[in-house]
Amino acid sequence: MKASERTTITATVTVTPHVLERHFRVSHATTSTVDLLRLDLRDADGRVGGSGEISADRGFGQDGPAIAEEARGLVHALAAQDGLDRVATLEPLLDRAAEKVSGPARMLTEMALLDRAARLAGAPVWRLLDLPDPGRVELMHTVAIGDALDVAARPLKVKLGADTDADVLKELIGRPGPILLDVNEGWDRSAWLGVRNLVARLEPAVLEDPTADEELLAEIRAELPGTRVVLDESVHTPQAAERAAGLADGVNIKVMRMGGLLPALRVLRSARARGQVCMVGSFLEPRRSVAYAAQLNSLADWTDLDGHFWISGDRPVLHYRLDSSRPGIPEIAYEPTAEDGEPGER
């Protein structure tokens, strides 16, 4: 098959509910079940598969069956287009076709199409996109609301936004860093005033999404000159990321929320050009979608790509690499060493 040939692609999407072994709590939601979505592509001749896998968490407004239908429709809209195996052609086609599609559906479709294109090219996706080798992916250890803090792993990312925040902060003060706090927009003015002095004493390296109140956000930034304030929840599109640049010191880009690697890559490059802090994060996602996002590791100051630990059953570690020995989307590969230790339960 020549690269320029027009090919009709068919899609199969499955949705499978997955019950977490342990609840995951943030300020505005508690997750106990996610939908796992898989999209498989097949050409008319039955050859050249491409596949994508993501999750959907209703606590974050993600509806698995609805996303599956959107992805089917998106593949149908693109199926007979010429040039889907070439990134330069695929990107504008996908941008136009996905204008009214949710970020997760766009990512699921993009994943499968880029996986297919990379397999045809005999290369990993990151090389197809002319990205640097992702290298070693250094993680932070995430502590959900209600989880124990008796963990020595660093960097430590602690979820806040509950009535226990003051107690948690008191327990963290004096501990070695770096420590990052993620409030998931959980503080109003009253809550902030209740913990302001404790946060100032702690001096976290990063404070993520302290509030949805932009006026309060500006006050918090002014009171914490040594802390980088990063936005996440409100950054759904490249346009939202541009707006966030005037409100905070950086962005946490969740590739699934942004709609895939291609729009996320544009946002990260723009943020880096402005000198902003860049974090790449994930929801509670399957291993394959986390590996997909981890291909952006070389562009991130902080990598928060540990969402698969709550789904895969893998033992939490503080770093991994991507196995790019086969074309397509790489796989997460662990390198057990003595320095990993046991970072504690998730």
Side-chain angles (χ1 to χ4, degrees), residues 16 33 77 178 189 196 223 229 303 330 334:
T16 306
T33 303
R189 185 173 299 278
R196 176 178 58 185
E223 293 196 42
V229 176
T303 306
Y334 299 113

Side-chain angles (χ1 to χ4, degrees), residues 241-269:
E242 291 290 330
R243 187 170 188 280
L247 300 172
D249 303 303
V251 289
N252 181 359
I253 298 302
K254 287 189 169 65
V255 176
M256 190 169 76
R257 176 184 282 149
M258 194 58 58
L261 281 183
L262 297 173
L265 183 56
R266 296 195 292 264
V267 169
L268 285 170
R269 284 174 171 162

